Amino acid sequence: SSSSRDEALRDKRARILSRGLPKQKPIEGVKQVVVVASGKGGVGKSTTAVNIALALAANDSTKEVGLLDADIYGPSIPRMMNLKGNPELTPKNLMRPLKNYGIACMSMGFLIEETAPVVWRGLMVMSAVEKLLRQVDWGQLDYLVIDMPPGTGDVQLSVSQNIPIAGAVIVSTPQDVALLDAHKGAEMFRKVHVPVLGLVQNMSVFQCPKCKHETHIFGADGVRDLAKTLGLDILGDVPLHINIRETCDSGQPVVISQPQSDA
């Protein structure tokens, strides 16, 4: 029958696809990898990734935490973590991460000038990502937080298929255009069998510093509605607050510089 033929075709396709997938190989010395992703750029993913890494370290001082900036075209971790300079090489020719606030960091931004554009084709980008994953001496880390580039392209697939990932955190603003892409991001991780830990609703509300009136500039509950649709948890609401933006821009993220603030 046609249905049994279709089923046989599906099985064959699945077998061929599974043969073609790369074997996942852990990063040496790293226990758990958490990726922070978004479908769309400009939703505060890097800010969230930086503060998650710092919060993991602040919550348990016995844990060693690393932060990998996998955004080759637009690396922002050096600025946000107040780090400059080139990584030293170990005798085994591995790059040593730069450290600040107790977090070991690696980024393409350490290897190029801050204002230099990366004008590369895909294969060169993939080679750079592989080097950042495999040719870094992370030491012993309990958590490695990876700040992914926006979208669902080569880098996301390569990282997801080449290393075991404990879970993905998806960041989105509540507006419809961001939610569409966040939905795609969540579905991509499901397709490559990466557990999605939940969604972060960023820039959820703006409070006027003078009159304290609250305005939902990007909409109120878009990410909550998406979480219900996907059967996922909301991990938190982050307000649109000048302190969060200013502290990251100045290299003193809010988790480390203002740990008692509401933000």
Side-chain angles (χ1 to χ4, degrees):
S1 73
S2 66
S3 64
S4 60
R5 272 202 310 277
D6 288 348
E7 205 168 311
L9 268 173
R10 273 199 299 273
D11 287 347
K12 190 176 178 184
R13 199 175 292 138
R15 281 200 304 276
I16 291 166
L17 280 171
S18 66
R19 277 206 306 270
L21 288 176
K23 290 272 189 294
Q24 285 190 335
K25 185 182 161 200
I27 300 170
E28 199 171 325
V30 176
K31 287 184 188 169
Q32 307 269 11
V33 175
V34 176
V35 298
V36 180
S38 70
K40 185 170 284 301
V43 296
K45 169 185 50 59
S46 295
T47 303
T48 305
V50 162
N51 283 301
I52 284 175
L54 290 164
L56 284 169
N59 280 341
D60 187 344
S61 58
T62 66
K63 301 293 186 200
E64 290 293 327
V65 181
L67 180 59
L68 171 61
D69 187 351
D71 194 344
I72 303 299
Y73 291 120
S76 45
I77 296 304
R79 168 70 64 97
M80 291 181 175
M81 289 296 287
N82 198 24
L83 286 166
K84 273 185 181 165
N86 302 113
E88 294 175 0
L89 291 177
T90 69
K92 290 184 177 176
N93 225 27
L94 298 175
M95 293 181 285
R96 279 207 177 96
L98 275 61
K99 245 185 166 180
N100 197 12
Y101 309 123
I103 308 291
C105 301
M106 183 48 65
S107 168
M108 191 70 195
F110 300 147
L111 308 175
I112 57 169
E113 290 295 318
E114 189 175 36
T115 54
V118 176
V119 188
W120 286 357
R121 291 191 186 277
L123 282 172
M124 291 170 76
V125 172
M126 298 316 297
S127 172
V129 169
E130 184 66 18
K131 283 183 172 65
L132 291 175
L133 284 173
R134 303 283 180 203
Q135 293 182 21
V136 176
D137 179 9
W138 289 107
Q140 296 298 311
L141 292 184
D142 294 284
Y143 301 107
L144 177 63
V145 177
I146 301 183
D147 177 24
M148 296 280 247
T152 54
D154 287 351
V155 173
Q156 291 83 348
L157 277 173
S158 182
V159 171
S160 304
Q161 291 176 344
N162 281 298
I163 59 171
I165 295 171
V169 173
I170 297 191
V171 181
S172 181
T173 55
Q175 67 194 113
D176 289 349
V177 288
L179 293 167
L180 283 170
D181 290 345
H183 194 153
K184 288 175 193 166
E187 292 297 349
M188 183 208 77
F189 285 119
R190 283 178 169 172
K191 278 202 164 98
V192 293
H193 309 297
V194 170
V196 180
L197 302 174
L199 306 178
V200 171
Q201 179 163 265
N202 197 22
M203 309 184 201
S204 57
V205 66
F206 171 73
Q207 186 184 64
C208 173
K210 289 189 175 166
C211 71
K212 304 302 179 193
H213 175 72
E214 291 191 343
T215 306
H216 295 276
I217 291 172
F218 296 114
D221 288 317
V223 179
R224 292 186 181 282
D225 295 340
L226 178 61
K228 274 185 204 153
T229 304
L230 294 170
L232 293 170
D233 292 330
I234 284 278
L235 301 176
D237 273 293
V238 184
L240 179 62
H241 200 292
I242 194 164
N243 282 2
I244 298 172
R245 198 271 304 163
E246 281 183 344
T247 52
C248 256
D249 278 356
S250 65
Q252 299 172 312
V254 71
V255 163
I256 207 84
S257 60
Q258 300 176 11
Q260 302 309 318
S261 73
D262 290 345

